Amino acid sequence: MVKQFINGEFVDSHATDTIQVLNPATNEVIGEVAEGDEQDLQAAVVGAKEAQKSWAKVNRVKRGEIVLELATLMEQNKEEIAKIYQEEQGKVYADALGEVEGSIGYIKYMTGLAQSAKGEVLQNQVDDELVMIVKKPVGVTAGIIPWNAPIFILMRKMIPALVTGCSIVVKPSEETPFGTFKIAELIQQTDIPNGLVQIVTGTGAGVGSMMSKNEDIDLISLTGSTGAGKAVMSESAANVKKVNLELGGKAPAIITDKADLDKAVKYIVQARIKNSGQVCTCPERLYVQAGVYDAFVEKVTTAMSNLVTGDPTDDKTDFGPIINKKQLESIDEKVQQAVGNGAKVLTGGHIVSDTPGNYYEPTVVVNVNDDSTIMTDEVFGPVLPIAKFETIDEAIDKANNSVYGLSSYAFTEDLKEAMTFSELLNIGEAYINCEAEEATTGYHAGWRQSGLGGADGTHGFEEYLNTTVTYFRYE
């Protein structure tokens, strides 16, 4: 589809260049999109700015009711959306459908917050004067969507923007644009006013950069790499634009001597292979206490070696392909570098070579140095590097020793240890004895170079609101 979605219609792009979209399971071309230009973006921003003026005047509860219509339509079309998503992204069907269903639930939750507008009325120190604090929509927002969860993260940015009274200009990933266009078709069938949702395709260096620099965009929300986040911050600085950034992660998982090892293996493996390991909250580095190290390594190696990677349309497949060849080669490079530095691969450790798709074997690596790239940099693939520790304090120091701070895991049946991890892990999310399942009611936010601001729950909802203070003198 060499179109852009502008003011409620699919229109020809002003750009002449296109981007091919590949199925990562086969590397076959499934379509192409426009490599959008400044004219495309400007048309989208102008339309979004005009539409937002009227939308902000609509009663918030009414806005929620209108946006909720999208959930109904997505429910009716969820199988089709999941199949589009599966083809362009490579998830197994159950995971693709699960993400669509999670997105529908997200819409229902966020539109419900329309009925919980909050403010404050305070007594000033001045006689006969009240202070009223209210929240107002930020204005025109922009959402830069990643390829690893393009439907859910689209909702994570679009729905709170619309319910709070903002408009949004969306740049889907050039790897996974077609599910977003399907959502646009459904938006056309709702009462969401034309212009509130604009979609401009292109690259991060192209359209994404233009968004960051555009003076009429009031907030830009990016989910992507830390490098992309730094670029957005730098380019937004000229207009002192509000930014919301969910960036990279290097989640540690700590397994203590008091852990239920079977539970730890189950949840760590589930999390590590979710979306072929291409999730920013996946466990990326494991620290196992000496007393259970050998037993845990044996159990997790067996579990990983029994997994099946391959065609995501095959019901026997546990996880599918890596998004593209560049990412596939990056994963392998980190594994081979670790081996070259003395690490040992217990299972996997190679690109699957007898297929045209982008597949990597489920991999366990031990004898890994703390300063090895595989322990410091995001791998974003089905690889578990494991290191040993002696004391709980040592494990916490190792876990906190990272430029990232998005998610973490800890497995222990000891309450004191669990509470210690909760208190001392300097990371945005801590999953104790469970897999990462971000609650819609929670708050997904990272520390350090994992981002600024956050998403989900009432805190995420308020990212799309600014504060106004009004002084009422009634003398």
Side-chain angles (χ1 to χ4, degrees):
M1 177 183 285
V2 190
K3 299 278 187 180
Q4 309 288 21
F5 186 68
I6 308 293
N7 297 329
E9 300 291 339
F10 290 99
V11 300
D12 291 332
S13 173
H14 292 95
T16 57
D17 292 337
T18 60
I19 302 169
Q20 287 188 332
V21 181
L22 306 181
N23 180 338
T26 63
N27 277 312
E28 295 175 342
V29 177
I30 57 176
E32 60 182 13
V33 294
E35 187 168 351
D37 62 12
E38 188 70 52
Q39 281 185 279
D40 290 334
L41 180 64
Q42 192 57 31
V45 173
V46 169
K49 188 173 183 178
E50 189 61 31
Q52 192 272 330
K53 292 177 184 177
S54 300
W55 183 241
K57 297 175 183 178
V58 176
N59 177 281
R60 185 191 280 188
V61 175
K62 180 63 176 176
R63 292 198 300 256
E65 292 172 351
I66 292 171
V67 176
L68 184 59
E69 296 172 14
L70 181 60
T72 301
L73 290 170
M74 287 181 64
E75 182 69 39
Q76 295 169 358
N77 293 271
K78 63 182 181 181
E79 290 86 4
E80 180 186 357
I81 298 169
K83 288 178 180 177
I84 294 170
Y85 182 20
Q86 182 182 36
E87 183 179 33
E88 65 182 3
Q89 202 276 337
K91 273 188 173 73
V92 296
Y93 183 71
D95 286 350
L97 182 62
E99 186 167 322
V100 177
E101 291 175 335
S103 299
I104 294 167
Y106 197 85
I107 297 172
K108 293 177 179 178
Y109 172 79
M110 279 292 170
T111 54
L113 292 182
Q115 301 183 46
S116 61
K118 297 178 181 179
E120 299 176 72
V121 178
L122 307 171
Q123 178 68 60
N124 196 0
Q125 62 267 35
V126 176
D127 291 341
D128 301 324
E129 186 172 283
L130 290 176
V131 180
M132 184 171 72
I133 301 175
V134 298
K135 301 283 188 176
K136 297 180 180 179
V138 168
V140 179
T141 71
I144 299 178
I145 314 299
W147 49 261
N148 63 332
I151 300 300
F152 180 74
I153 295 179
L154 171 64
M155 299 304 150
R156 195 179 239 173
K157 299 182 189 307
M158 181 175 72
I159 302 304
L162 295 180
V163 176
T164 55
C166 301
S167 57
I168 185 166
V169 182
V170 173
K171 190 203 84 65
S173 169
E174 60 271 32
E175 307 270 7
T176 55
F178 297 126
T180 303
F181 278 128
K182 179 60 183 179
I183 298 301
E185 291 177 10
L186 299 182
I187 289 173
Q188 288 180 314
Q189 300 173 43
T190 71
D191 291 323
I192 296 173
N194 292 340
L196 282 182
V197 179
Q198 313 272 15
I199 300 172
V200 181
T201 57
T203 64
V207 173
S209 178
M210 296 174 208
M211 285 177 160
S212 300
K213 297 172 182 176
N214 191 290
E215 62 183 13
D216 289 321
I217 291 176
D218 302 294
L219 176 151
I220 185 162
S221 179
L222 163 81
T223 298
S225 69
T226 297
K230 290 178 180 180
V232 166
M233 286 185 70
S234 176
E235 292 169 346
S236 298
N239 294 305
V240 197
K241 193 189 308 296
K242 187 175 182 180
V243 296
N244 178 283
L245 306 173
E246 182 199 350
L247 308 178
K250 190 66 182 175
I254 300 170
I255 299 92
T256 79
D257 288 346
K258 298 176 181 178
D260 180 326
L261 296 189
D262 291 331
K263 183 190 296 182
V265 168
K266 173 185 175 182
Y267 288 130
I268 287 172
V269 171
Q270 283 180 2
R272 181 68 268 189
I273 67 166
K274 188 173 184 178
N275 197 19
S276 306
Q278 300 170 118
V279 180
C280 55
T281 56
C282 281
E284 282 259 348
R285 49 195 171 112
L286 274 57
Y287 300 108
V288 185
Q289 199 160 15
V292 295
Y293 180 86
D294 290 340
F296 176 83
V297 168
E298 181 180 357
K299 286 176 178 288
V300 80
T301 302
T302 298
M304 289 288 280
S305 64
N306 288 335
L307 295 171
V308 176
T309 181
D311 181 358
T313 65
D314 188 333
D315 292 340
K316 297 178 182 178
T317 297
D318 292 305
F319 65 94
I322 304 302
I323 189 65
N324 56 41
K325 287 192 177 297
K326 180 180 179 181
Q327 177 60 22
L328 181 69
E329 291 167 357
S330 174
I331 295 167
D332 191 56
E333 180 181 350
K334 291 181 177 66
V335 172
Q336 302 315 322
Q337 185 181 62
V339 171
N341 291 332
K344 181 180 180 181
V345 173
L346 298 184
T347 189
H350 299 95
I351 293 171
V352 179
S353 59
D354 60 348
T355 173
N358 311 318
Y359 297 96
Y360 203 82
E361 296 175 338
T363 299
V364 175
V365 186
V366 296
N367 299 338
V368 184
N369 296 324
D370 287 344
D371 58 356
S372 175
T373 302
I374 205 172
M375 294 292 273
T376 60
D377 294 3
E378 198 169 29
V379 175
F380 232 50
V383 177
L384 287 175
I386 305 176
K388 186 185 297 186
F389 72 89
E390 298 290 340
T391 68
I392 299 300
D393 286 344
E394 179 189 358
I396 291 170
D397 287 343
K398 288 176 179 289
N400 286 336
N401 185 25
S402 174
V403 298
Y404 299 107
L406 186 60
S407 298
S408 60
Y409 301 75
F411 292 89
T412 176
E413 297 300 304
D414 183 274
L415 179 60
K416 182 178 179 180
E417 285 185 350
M419 291 303 298
T420 299
F421 291 132
S422 177
E423 290 181 6
L424 297 183
L425 289 174
N426 296 326
I427 296 172
E429 297 173 345
Y431 296 96
I432 310 296
N433 295 323
C434 59
E435 182 192 358
E437 289 291 347
E438 298 153 25
T440 302
T441 55
Y443 187 54
H444 180 62
W447 290 32
R448 298 183 291 281
Q449 292 189 33
S450 286
L452 292 172
D456 305 338
T458 57
H459 297 290
F461 187 80
E462 292 192 353
E463 292 279 328
Y464 292 84
L465 295 168
N466 280 335
T467 301
T468 292
V469 181
T470 303
Y471 297 85
F472 286 100
R473 182 83 48 94
Y474 51 89
E475 60 185 6

